[in-house]
Amino acid sequence: MPTCWKSSCTGALVAQWQRRPTADEASAQADADLAARNTLLADAGLPALAPTDISPPDPATSTLAVHSCGAHAITMSLAQHIHQATCSAPSEALPDCGCTPEPLPVPPSAPATVTLPTGWVVPAG
């Protein structure tokens, strides 16, 4: 069950944002993934995987969820971004997180208009 990033807080969760994992978190995730896969393999009567059979998630492309209550949340505009692994979460006084979040992805452009050959019909609905 997720809890507020502020460990002493027991408030109801109202916000979530993402940050990159640290190297230790990525390694711990790989260990957890390996254990889960080996449990499934053992249940199926198959041999276990070795630690070298699974690599840690790439910190440059994977994320971790950060949860917060209303009192410890960052702004909605900051929550849209992916934050750095070293993101300290908001300070007590400001709704800022102390890192430089990644820029938002560029939305895809509208698809090009396609002209159908004569006699082709686009179905309704």
Side-chain angles (χ1 to χ4, degrees), residues 64-94:
L64 294 175
V66 180
H67 301 87
S68 71
C69 68
H72 300 120
I74 59 177
T75 63
M76 285 186 67
S77 60
L78 279 174
Q80 295 175 35
H81 297 261
I82 297 174
H83 295 254
Q84 297 171 358
T86 56
C87 183
S88 61
S91 68
E92 292 293 328
L94 302 170

Side-chain angles (χ1 to χ4, degrees), residues 2 10-11 16 23 30-32 53 59 77 103 110:
T10 58
Q16 174 185 324
D31 292 345
D53 292 337
S77 60

Side-chain angles (χ1 to χ4, degrees), residues 3-125:
T3 58
C4 183
W5 66 267
K6 185 157 176 76
S7 59
S8 61
C9 179
T10 58
L13 299 180
V14 298
Q16 174 185 324
W17 61 95
Q18 297 180 38
R19 69 170 175 80
R20 298 292 179 200
T22 63
D24 288 343
E25 289 167 335
S27 180
Q29 183 62 51
D31 292 345
D33 289 348
L34 180 63
R37 289 177 188 198
N38 282 336
T39 298
L40 291 172
L41 290 171
D43 290 347
L46 298 170
L49 297 171
T52 55
D53 292 337
I54 187 168
S55 57
D58 181 2
T61 58
S62 58
T63 59
L64 294 175
V66 180
H67 301 87
S68 71
C69 68
H72 300 120
I74 59 177
T75 63
M76 285 186 67
S77 60
L78 279 174
Q80 295 175 35
H81 297 261
I82 297 174
H83 295 254
Q84 297 171 358
T86 56
C87 183
S88 61
S91 68
E92 292 293 328
L94 302 170
D96 193 1
C97 64
C99 81
T100 303
E102 296 174 15
L104 293 173
V106 177
S109 58
T113 302
V114 176
T115 303
L116 297 174
T118 305
W120 283 35
V121 179
V122 177

